[in-house]
Amino acid sequence: MNPDPQVITDGQAMSVWADDVRSRGQRIGLIPTMGYLHEGHLALIDEARRHVDQVVVSIFVNPTQFGPKEDLARYPRDLSGDLRKIADRKAKIAFVPEPGEMYQPGHQTYVDVRGVSQGLCGGSRPGHFVGVATVVLKLFNIVRPHVSVFGEKDYQQLSVIRAMVADLNVPVKVLSLPTVREADGLALSSRNVYLLPDQRTRASALSQTIVAVRAQVAQGERRVDVLLVQASQLLSVAVDRLDYVEIRDAVTLLPLSLLDRPAVILVAAFFGSTRLIDNGRLDG
Ligand code: AMP
């Protein structure tokens, strides 16, 4: 059993630790999370360890990325379980700031990544990606990591982070990892804990729809509207409410009518009041 990671709650103490590591010539990896860790998060730690000497996992349920009617108050939390999992994966530092540490009185600066935030989750969760980009840039500035690893599970979020890093010349290398899934295809998510048994069964329709659309593409179908009709039909029998299903350019996230370049299908749907997302590449 590995000893628990050192927990740092203070931003300045976090920066001092990181400066010390850097001054010894070591490289730092940062995994930003909202906690309630699962194998998807832990795979990001494993990947970071392949590239750096020290891995910092941040655990922060970021209030600015939740809308007023969303699940901020009831978002699942299990700090002691998270610390045990982090230790098992040999990350040494958990950065666990309080909201008041990250957003001091008078906070007034936000990061607005425009193009790739349009539509999809940016459409149904106004302000969400401003909150995400702001907190991630703050975490980058506090920890100053060489590398940061994100999951492709949150495809639009990954695109937002990549755009921010490029546009604002942030000196960090962004890496990504494919989505880690349950045996039936359901993408691991901290929010899966909300699902009732019947909702959990139906939730596999998200990934199954992606697989079915991929099969149609493999058979030669290139028309996005045709692919989306099939996807909507499959989803409509399983979900309680479809938020969106769309096929977009995999790089720009702009809408497409024909699969003539690398593309991605993205879906968001409600099971009861639980909103889940998934996506998959469609590379023709
Ligand atoms: P979260 O705690 O949900 O904000 O996620 C923190 C990081 O873990 C993000 O980079 C997510 O994309 C990533 N992540 C979440 N679920 C998965 C998964 N099933 N597979 C891989 N990465 C994931």
Side-chain angles (χ1 to χ4, degrees):
M1 191 124 167
N2 291 295
D4 273 358
Q6 183 184 344
V7 176
I8 297 181
T9 57
D10 178 82
Q12 220 179 330
M14 185 68 248
S15 295
V16 168
W17 179 90
D19 283 346
D20 179 57
V21 169
R22 279 180 165 264
S23 71
R24 285 186 273 120
Q26 293 196 338
R27 287 163 56 79
I28 302 170
L30 172 68
I31 314 296
T33 82
M34 297 205 300
Y36 210 72
L37 302 181
H38 51 62
E39 280 299 321
H41 299 113
L42 302 180
L44 305 182
I45 299 178
D46 292 345
E47 177 64 12
R49 280 182 47 234
R50 297 180 50 238
H51 298 269
V52 300
D53 306 294
Q54 302 278 357
V55 177
V56 177
V57 180
S58 64
I59 298 175
F60 181 60
V61 182
N62 173 35
T64 64
Q65 71 188 71
F66 286 78
K69 294 193 181 132
E70 294 183 353
D71 57 342
L72 172 63
R74 70 177 189 123
Y75 195 82
R77 289 166 166 88
D78 175 17
L79 183 58
S80 56
D82 287 349
L83 295 179
R84 226 175 309 117
K85 290 173 192 167
I86 291 172
D88 285 346
R89 302 309 254 262
K90 301 189 181 66
K92 296 235 173 50
I93 295 288
F95 179 47
V96 190
E98 291 292 329
E101 172 69 22
M102 291 298 275
Y103 298 102
Q104 308 260 341
H107 182 101
Q108 54 193 295
T109 307
Y110 293 88
V111 181
D112 183 8
V113 178
R114 298 196 175 165
V116 291
S117 296
Q118 306 287 307
L120 306 169
C121 290
S124 33
R125 304 183 69 188
H128 171 65
F129 288 119
V130 169
V132 168
T134 301
V135 80
V136 171
L137 185 59
K138 283 174 69 69
L139 291 167
F140 284 166
N141 286 335
I142 292 167
V143 178
R144 294 191 284 278
H146 299 80
V147 167
S148 190
V149 191
F150 293 83
E152 289 162 19
K153 150 92 179 359
D154 298 274
Y155 195 92
Q156 191 177 17
Q157 167 173 287
L158 176 61
S159 304
V160 166
I161 303 296
R162 285 195 193 285
M164 175 185 78
V165 163
D167 293 348
L168 300 183
N169 309 87
V170 185
V172 61
K173 183 169 181 176
V174 173
L175 301 177
S176 71
L177 269 198
T179 302
V180 177
R181 298 176 179 281
E182 301 280 7
D184 68 349
L186 178 67
L188 297 193
S189 163
S190 306
R191 289 189 168 97
N192 291 351
V193 70
Y194 298 145
L195 297 171
L196 300 171
D198 141 76
Q199 296 168 344
R200 167 66 189 81
T201 306
R202 289 186 283 120
S204 61
L206 301 184
S207 62
Q208 283 160 6
T209 298
I210 293 167
V211 170
V213 168
R214 247 191 225 130
Q216 251 195 320
V217 173
Q219 282 169 17
E221 183 56 67
R222 292 287 178 274
R223 292 165 298 175
V224 165
D225 54 352
V226 174
L227 293 166
L228 289 179
V229 167
Q230 186 208 21
S232 305
Q233 280 167 355
L234 289 170
L235 290 164
S236 64
V237 296
V239 310
D240 292 321
R241 182 159 71 82
L242 183 61
D243 183 352
Y244 63 75
V245 57
E246 293 196 41
I247 292 174
R248 298 271 184 118
D249 181 303
V251 178
T252 63
L253 282 187
L254 290 170
L256 282 181
S257 52
L258 209 58
L259 287 193
D260 56 0
R261 68 199 75 184
V264 58
I265 178 167
L266 305 109
V267 55
F270 285 88
F271 298 85
S273 59
T274 302
R275 182 178 177 279
L276 300 181
I277 59 172
D278 202 349
N279 70 81
R281 292 287 294 256
L282 302 174
D283 289 342

